[in-house]
Amino acid sequence: MDKIKEYCRKKRFLLLFLAVLFLFGLIVGLYLGIDGIEILKEDVLYYAKNIAVQSYNYLLIHFFFLTISLVLSFFAIGIPLLCTILFYEGMCLGFLLGIFSLTYGVGGGLFATIFFILTKLFFVVILIVFFLKCLEIARKMIGKYIYKTDPSIVISKHLKACFYLIGFVLIYDLFLIILGNKILPLFSFLIA
């Protein structure tokens, strides 16, 4: 636990940047949800009626984006892609909160929060850790070309951690595919 606290203390400005990026995405999503409520209200009502048959399959898209970001991190291009994904996840939360709150009131806002916690929170936390690991890979690769250092040991350690993180996300996505449409209907009373 002390190592985690120390690591977070060292990376506090980077973590603050990621939190602000996510928060900015949330604000943009809230605006879009509030602005597009009339257009999407029927879709929200349809979703609420059919919540038990909905599928939550993020497996391929998460695998694709994380793998592409990891590969592109060797060229430092993956870092902006990861920032974009984090912004997008914040925007999704804001959009969900906005549209469900305006459609169903406080219960809709609670449902949107529970939906995000169950389907996306784990991914966002892993994405932040993944971002930090990919940033280290990019930094070491840049150091290799500028300072002619040999970063192979450090990169292999971060690469191994990235593979574990991708594995955790894929296991969680499988969990969502199997149990997602069974867990979320338990909270449908909030939007009834």
Side-chain angles (χ1 to χ4, degrees):
M1 193 65 172
D2 290 334
K3 285 185 178 185
I4 294 173
K5 285 181 183 177
E6 180 65 23
Y7 184 78
C8 290
R9 190 187 63 74
K10 287 181 182 177
K11 302 286 184 184
R12 67 182 175 272
F13 294 115
L14 188 56
L15 292 171
L16 180 64
F17 165 74
L18 295 175
V20 168
L21 185 66
F22 185 80
L23 190 62
F24 184 65
L26 187 133
I27 292 167
V28 170
L30 270 172
Y31 171 75
L32 292 174
I34 292 168
D35 192 42
I37 186 65
E38 293 306 318
I39 298 169
L40 297 171
K41 197 168 193 170
E42 292 298 318
D43 292 332
V44 173
L45 295 172
Y46 176 80
Y47 172 79
K49 285 181 189 174
N50 300 306
I51 194 167
V53 296
Q54 298 296 323
S55 174
Y56 307 100
N57 188 352
Y58 303 115
L59 187 77
L60 292 177
I61 196 157
H62 286 168
F63 178 75
F64 174 75
F65 278 124
L66 291 177
T67 305
I68 292 297
S69 299
L70 178 60
V71 170
L72 291 177
S73 292
F74 283 93
F75 309 104
I77 302 170
I79 304 308
L81 179 60
L82 287 168
C83 288
T84 305
I85 295 169
L86 188 62
F87 174 81
Y88 172 78
E89 293 298 336
M91 198 169 72
C92 287
L93 174 59
F95 186 79
L96 275 171
L97 284 173
I99 204 156
F100 272 90
S101 294
L102 289 175
T103 305
Y104 292 105
V106 175
L110 285 172
F111 180 80
T113 304
I114 291 169
F115 179 87
F116 183 81
I117 289 170
L118 289 175
T119 62
K120 292 289 189 168
L121 183 64
F122 181 76
F123 176 69
V124 169
V125 170
I126 293 293
L127 186 65
I128 290 170
V129 176
F130 191 80
F131 176 88
L132 295 172
K133 296 297 178 186
C134 286
L135 185 65
E136 286 298 317
I137 291 172
R139 196 171 67 83
K140 294 297 179 183
M141 289 304 292
I142 290 170
K144 176 183 176 182
Y145 294 116
I146 294 175
Y147 302 113
K148 307 294 184 212
T149 58
D150 181 26
S152 57
I153 295 172
V154 176
I155 285 180
S156 66
K157 181 179 89 170
H158 291 297
L159 196 58
K160 186 176 172 183
C162 286
F163 286 137
Y164 283 132
L165 293 171
I166 290 172
F168 291 147
V169 167
L170 294 181
I171 290 168
Y172 186 72
D173 286 342
L174 285 173
F175 166 78
L176 282 177
I177 290 170
I178 296 168
L179 295 175
N181 61 349
K182 292 174 180 61
I183 295 173
L184 278 171
L186 298 174
F187 300 98
S188 63
F189 69 91
L190 293 169
I191 53 175

